[in-house]
Amino acid sequence: MSIQYRISNILMNVTSDCEYQIERMKLFEEAASDNFNNNDLTINIKQKNELQIKGNPIITDERTEWNLNPTDNSYYTYIFSKLVQKNVATLDIDTDWKKAEINYIDNTGKMINSVDVGKFYTFHMVGVFFRYSILNYLGIVVHASSIKFNEQGIVFTAPAGTGKSTHTRLWEKYLSDQVCVLNDDTPVIRIINGKPFLFGTPWSGSTDKCMNKSVPLSAIVIIERDDKNSIRELSLMETNSRLMPRFFFPYFDKALMDKAVMIYEKIISQVPVYLLKCTPEKEAMDVAYKFIIKDLN
């Protein structure tokens, strides 16, 4: 089945038989149009009985080992599942990051969140390809929970387990008529006509909360746990040391890395970055709301 998606205003055609991937990306399906064969990105997904690994390892990024294909210097990566002690999904990318092939193993007998391991990581691999392809369209992925507040975008970011989703839920609960979650794990910030815009994506972590919408990005908030609630705007030096680790930078490729740094610099030159030290209580939301909205107005 071939389906066209529009993600961060990028058209991507995916040919797939993976039901889990199709279901998770359903909100981002593009309505039938004359643009069906005019895609920015193309992915073919195939089920296999066994997966063969190729290429030469060059770097390990998070849980992903990036291999360089010696025949054409394209990239190749795979996921080894400890649950089944074998490779369950591979991603083969062309040299210009326009096309990819994903192969996966189904019916492994092991599940993640009630989904077969192979199917679960197939959806993840689509996200990995998109994460770095979007750099060619002046977009970058950030590990964050993000909201649409009225017609403005706010990003809440922090190391895993710090409480960014918890804080977002406070905004949802107490400002429900003004707030919706764009993406709860990996939204995109894309530069359009020189300005940063925040986009929802299908890859929304364990909460599965996302929307196919975009708004101008107005604020970035770095969350830090504390027993008292306080907020302040960060200097450029403080911003870089605290914020850069939250972005998905392609450390394995110099050309892509140069683009990522350029996009990052455009973002922080226009968007205020705050440090919110907080408890997981409503008072933390009140403190952030009053300070940020005052600046935005």
Side-chain angles (χ1 to χ4, degrees), residues 49 89 91 225-226:
N49 293 325
L91 171 63
R225 286 182 180 176
D226 205 318

Side-chain angles (χ1 to χ4, degrees), residues 92-159:
D92 201 345
I93 306 162
D94 72 346
T95 53
D96 61 2
W97 288 81
K98 298 284 188 181
K99 298 179 180 179
E101 181 174 299
I102 296 172
N103 294 323
Y104 73 100
I105 295 176
D106 196 8
N107 301 316
T108 64
K110 298 292 184 178
M111 314 290 276
I112 299 177
N113 297 339
S114 302
V115 179
D116 187 86
V117 168
K119 290 180 177 178
F120 179 88
Y121 283 120
T122 296
F123 172 63
H124 171 77
M125 282 299 208
V126 178
V128 171
F129 174 60
F130 182 83
R131 176 187 304 168
Y132 298 117
S133 298
I134 192 72
L135 292 167
N136 290 314
Y137 300 92
L138 295 181
I140 190 168
V141 175
V142 58
H143 184 208
S145 186
S146 58
I147 63 170
K148 174 179 176 287
F149 172 76
N150 293 331
E151 294 305 316
Q152 301 179 88
I154 304 175
V155 163
F156 299 99
T157 187

Side-chain angles (χ1 to χ4, degrees), residues 50-84:
E50 293 291 336
L51 301 178
Q52 300 297 321
I53 305 304
K54 64 181 181 180
N56 302 314
I58 54 172
I59 192 172
T60 299
D61 177 24
E62 305 167 75
R63 294 171 298 175
T64 305
E65 180 180 270
W66 289 96
N67 291 9
L68 196 61
N69 190 332
T71 59
D72 60 3
N73 287 329
S74 61
Y75 286 104
Y76 179 88
T77 188
Y78 62 93
I79 290 179
F80 177 85
S81 170
K82 292 182 179 179
L83 286 174
V84 295

